[in-house]
Amino acid sequence: MPSWALPDRGRLTLSEVSGSLGDLGTFIPLLLGLARQGSVHFVPAVFFAGLFNVLSGLLWDVPMCVQPMKTIAAVGIAEGLSPPQVAVAGMMVSAMVLALGLTRSIVLVGRLVPEAVVLGTQLGLGISLNQKAFAMIAGSPTGASDPAQGPLDSPIARLVSAMIGVAFALAVRHSGSKVPSALILFVVGAGVGMYTLLASHAPVGLAPVPPAVWALGSLTPSDLQHALLNAALPQLPLTLLNSVVSVCKLADKLAPHARVTKPAVAVSVGLMNLLGCPFGAMPCCHGAGGLAAQHAFGARRGAAVLFLGGAKVAVAVAAGGPLLAILAAFPDSILGVLLLMSGLELARAGAQLGGKGDGAVAVGLLTAAATLKYKTGVGCLVGLGAALVCGGLGAAVRRCRERQFLFWLWHGDDESSPPLLVGGLETEGGEQAGAQTAGGGGASAAAPVAALPEGAEASGQGGAASGATQRDQAGGERT
């Protein structure tokens, strides 16, 4: 066989297998949350996520994660988006990422959108996700649409099981352990779901489920507008910064031999959603936090994601019917815990606002409040308006007068060039709040992530890594 036909991606060791689980703390809660309420098709979402893992492992010799687009996922769960809306939102973002990546404008949106607006959006979406999680735990009508009738269905059982689950996840997280708490909670919930099915003697379909469905069949013009304004545009700066810019910087530090470039990653994000979302794929991207978490769990080569992807594909093809039955019987309280921890990771981005000056705090909190009260798109517009009032407009005019605009636009991916709209959001130390370090998402979500392997520790959820953050390092999840 020619050497190019099957690239060397290392041996599948126990360390690589362990590392492949590092980002499941983001993937599992968001996938279950979207699938349980019907926003994505569960089996195709798992199948395509595995396929994208395999393709990423073949393309790069680095544990490049494939994770949900967290803003789209959070909006989908909080607002109950339909499958066509979720799919077209992912396609819109990917088309823009692909175009920006191929035209050297990949950092343009990142320099136009202040970091305070990004962090405020994540804070608002994280709180919205937490509200949904508590609704599931409490069993209110705004929670899961098809609650499981099982041993954890009574109010007391819901509360007790949720308290135990949260205590377990927090204990693992703060102990610095590499135990994949989200995977363990999923296995426990799946076990309870299987017991519920057996006890109720409900029929379980064993026939394979098609790994692809047409997700755009009922798409309407209003779906296009809603997906663009409330999901795609708020997701765009997060994807550009975390899924393209920061992941390339982190990959260059962890695995310089892999030669992960911004155009290649932008093309990867663009193509996998443009080709996969119409057929049921969940909107996915790469991410610096997921890569750091998988590295912290032991992954070093592409073999880790090849194994993870193969496992996802095999499970989707071989066990699609039983998985759908278990998903329907999955206890709301445990799913609520998974979403709660994912929401906390996303909302934790707001903690970064405190060190960025009073202007950034005001902009971030206004963005979060508008996101909670209205829609994500309205929240972003409110944040951008607040950033302009807080000095951003003056900074833009000043740079235009100094004839810096064209130079900044031409050298958009030169990170030494000044951001455009953040002149009024500077900290006392002179560091601009708009300096776009990747931080925040789905995951794996808002905490800073150390780019150096020695400083990377996986969180208890396996979805984020913590460590010393520097301006030129990859930050936590922003997708």
Side-chain angles (χ1 to χ4, degrees):
M1 180 180 293
S3 59
W4 51 263
L6 191 62
D8 179 20
R9 292 299 179 253
R11 296 176 55 194
L12 184 61
T13 63
L14 183 60
S15 177
E16 297 290 347
V17 173
S18 172
S20 70
L21 307 178
D23 196 41
L24 292 182
T26 296
F27 179 79
I28 291 176
L30 296 180
L31 171 63
L32 289 180
L34 287 170
R36 183 65 179 273
Q37 68 179 14
S39 295
V40 298
H41 301 280
F42 183 72
V43 173
V46 175
F47 174 81
F48 279 104
L51 180 61
F52 298 154
N53 277 131
V54 171
L55 294 177
S56 298
L58 293 175
L59 185 59
W60 297 293
D61 189 17
V62 64
M64 181 70 73
C65 69
V66 173
Q67 54 193 200
M69 290 186 175
K70 294 176 187 62
T71 297
I72 294 178
V75 172
I77 294 172
E79 299 183 10
L81 297 185
S82 65
Q85 290 173 335
V86 172
V88 79
M91 295 174 65
M92 288 176 175
V93 172
S94 298
M96 289 183 279
V97 169
L98 183 61
L100 291 172
L102 295 178
T103 58
R104 287 175 48 86
S105 302
I106 198 67
V107 188
L108 177 62
V109 175
R111 295 195 177 281
L112 286 172
V113 179
E115 188 181 18
V117 176
V118 176
L119 297 178
T121 301
Q122 291 176 281
L123 175 60
L125 287 173
I127 296 174
S128 296
L129 204 58
N130 286 342
Q131 291 175 335
K132 183 79 172 185
F134 279 115
M136 284 188 168
I137 293 172
S140 70
T142 57
S145 59
D146 184 20
Q149 302 295 322
L152 301 183
D153 189 58
S154 67
I156 297 298
R158 285 174 180 269
L159 181 60
V160 172
S161 60
M163 292 176 61
I164 294 174
V166 171
F168 168 72
L170 290 177
V172 171
R173 174 195 181 109
H174 289 286
S175 69
S177 171
K178 295 181 180 180
V179 174
S181 59
L183 179 61
I184 293 175
L185 288 173
F186 171 74
V187 171
V188 172
V192 175
M194 292 178 62
Y195 172 81
T196 302
L197 291 173
L198 293 175
S200 62
H201 303 287
V204 177
L206 300 178
V209 176
V213 297
W214 183 245
L216 303 178
S218 58
L219 186 66
T220 65
S222 62
D223 289 333
L224 292 172
Q225 178 181 355
H226 190 79
L228 175 65
L229 297 179
N230 293 294
L233 289 180
Q235 175 69 51
L236 180 61
L238 312 184
T239 297
L240 290 175
L241 294 172
N242 182 67
S243 298
V244 180
V245 176
S246 293
V247 79
C248 290
K249 292 164 61 178
L250 182 57
D252 185 60
K253 293 178 182 293
L254 299 181
H257 66 279
R259 299 182 180 180
V260 180
T261 64
K262 295 174 185 175
V265 174
V267 170
S268 173
V269 173
L271 291 182
M272 69 183 182
N273 289 288
L274 287 174
L275 298 178
C277 286
F279 300 99
M282 178 174 53
C284 292
C285 59
H286 307 297
L291 172 57
Q294 289 180 332
H295 189 279
F297 269 64
R300 297 294 183 270
R301 304 285 302 273
V305 288
L306 287 174
F307 165 77
L308 179 62
K312 289 178 181 177
V313 170
V315 167
V317 172
L323 279 177
L324 289 178
I326 292 174
L327 177 65
F330 199 93
D332 292 345
S333 58
I334 297 181
L335 179 55
V337 171
L338 289 168
L339 288 179
L340 180 64
M341 301 309 297
S342 186
L344 287 176
E345 282 293 320
L346 194 58
R348 203 168 59 166
Q352 301 179 42
L353 290 169
K356 299 185 181 300
D358 292 340
V361 172
V363 170
L365 293 180
L366 284 172
T367 304
T371 299
L372 281 170
K373 177 62 178 177
Y374 303 103
K375 301 292 185 180
T376 312
V378 175
C380 289
L381 290 177
V382 169
L384 289 173
L388 290 173
V389 172
C390 289
L393 181 60
V397 172
R398 182 172 63 254
R399 291 197 175 103
C400 289
R401 287 178 177 176
E402 296 172 355
R403 299 181 180 179
Q404 293 182 356
F405 180 79
L406 292 179
F407 176 83
W408 169 82
L409 184 63
W410 180 256
H411 298 279
D413 53 3
D414 177 6
E415 298 187 22
S416 63
S417 60
L420 185 62
L421 298 181
V422 293
L425 304 180
E426 296 180 0
T427 61
E428 294 180 1
E431 180 181 359
Q432 290 177 316
Q436 297 289 351
T437 57
S444 64
V449 172
L452 298 177
E454 292 81 7
E457 287 184 13
S459 73
Q461 280 185 275
S466 61
T469 303
Q470 298 179 3
R471 182 168 175 158
D472 63 340
Q473 289 177 330
E477 291 304 314
R478 273 191 150 182
T479 61

